[in-house]
Amino acid sequence: MLALRLARGARPVVLLRRLTVAAASAGVGFLLLSALGRATGHPGAAAGSGPRLLWCLVPLAAAVYFAVAVARTDPSTRPGSPMTAAGLGPAGLSALSAVSTALSCLLGSVVALLFFLVLRGDVTGLPFTGAAARLLGAGSALPVAAALTLLAVTPVAAAVGSAWALRPRRPARARSGQDGPERAGADPEAAPTGLPWGVALVAAGLAVEVYTSRRPAGAPLPVPGRFDGSPAGMLAGWTLTALGLALAGPALTHLCGRILQSVRPGAVRLLAGRVLQYEAGRIGRPLGALCAVVSGVVAAASVHGEGPPLFGPLTALGATLVVACTTATLLTSAVEARQDRAETTAALVRGCVPAGVLRSAAALRAAALFMVFATVTWAVAALAAAPLSA
């Protein structure tokens, strides 16, 4: 009840974020129900149901990641919010965030179910004909238990992810046992160390994609648009690449900050570099995930060329969900970072720092990140597309 009251009295911006999470959950729920509907409508092709569900894991992961990012920026679950004054501690705030996220995703799952039943003709009795009826398995009985189980995956995963992201944590000094002042001149943000592991995962993912891309001449390109000819190894390779880029993202962001501060930096470069170093862990992972998505789209587009349509409607929906959720996650993480440095920005303004300096530093940060991550995206896309087009 408390989560419902908070949702009803939330600000328009917060409501918009939650509705966006519900929309992402609806898209994922529709994809899962479509895989179930085709499996029930075509029992002879049940062997292809596994790959279809595997491909649905990609938009599912993107939607859950976005839901967790929205939960982290919710004003009602942040420390110092009115809920803290009402007596909710860190554990209570974490539970409240999990319930709020689950409700948003549950709303999307209900919308997906209603839309799916309408398109199948289970509600109106007038299903789509032709390819649409075949994709949704119109005319076949839909297992209620299986449908409800699939629809519950997104709310449960998002709730668990939100609770884990906002779980109570001990301060850094308490974990390390240091009670005295920090060492003079020490960098409060230790540099991320995930770059070697990220590079290793990217290399492993590209190697898996190269191995699974070996196919006879004239065979269709094994991409998600044709589920029957899509080996699971392609999904595994792309997943490893995406995990590697997400793991290396914070280190690359921190490296951008160090580069900006090198060779006698001025006030603008120094400010931009320090902010990037402090925000490396928060915005680096969404940037890496977005790079993985964009590189996959670029690789598929470069290999496809001018041939017939490669992606079906459900695959197009899944790709749109992945791109939209990763982009929205990056923007939401940027909003969270801006909220966290609001006090620092206010102190700089009170210290007579010109607003133009702050704007120049923000533009310099964006330019540095774009140059580095665009180069990484192009390199990964080129390496992924090279064996497929050979």
Side-chain angles (χ1 to χ4, degrees), residues 116-325:
F116 180 76
L117 293 178
V118 168
L119 293 182
R120 276 172 48 98
D122 296 336
V123 177
T124 61
L126 296 174
F128 282 158
T129 58
R134 182 175 58 85
L135 287 176
L136 302 180
S140 61
L142 189 67
V144 178
L148 295 180
T149 300
L150 291 177
L151 289 176
V153 171
T154 305
V156 171
V160 172
S162 300
W164 177 259
L166 297 176
R167 69 191 185 278
R169 299 173 183 173
R170 293 183 300 169
R173 289 184 182 179
R175 291 195 302 264
S176 59
Q178 297 176 356
D179 298 326
E182 295 182 0
R183 179 172 55 88
D187 188 354
E189 195 72 24
T193 58
L195 185 58
W197 291 103
V199 173
L201 284 177
V202 170
L206 292 175
V208 172
E209 292 181 20
V210 170
Y211 178 77
T212 56
S213 65
R214 296 176 179 175
R215 60 192 188 280
L221 181 67
V223 295
R226 295 182 172 88
F227 289 109
D228 296 334
S230 302
M234 290 294 295
L235 176 61
W238 185 86
T239 302
L240 288 176
T241 303
L243 290 176
L245 288 175
L247 188 60
L252 292 175
T253 305
H254 195 276
L255 179 62
C256 289
R258 294 185 65 90
I259 293 175
L260 288 178
Q261 298 177 87
S262 61
V263 192
R264 296 182 180 180
V268 175
R269 288 171 52 197
L270 184 62
L271 180 60
R274 293 298 291 176
V275 170
L276 281 182
Q277 286 183 319
Y278 274 103
E279 296 176 355
R282 181 176 291 111
I283 66 174
R285 292 186 182 89
L287 273 172
L290 184 60
C291 283
V293 173
V294 174
S295 64
V297 172
V298 171
S302 63
V303 172
H304 174 51
E306 301 294 333
L310 187 62
F311 299 109
L314 296 180
T315 307
L317 174 60
T320 302
L321 278 174
V322 172
V323 174
C325 287

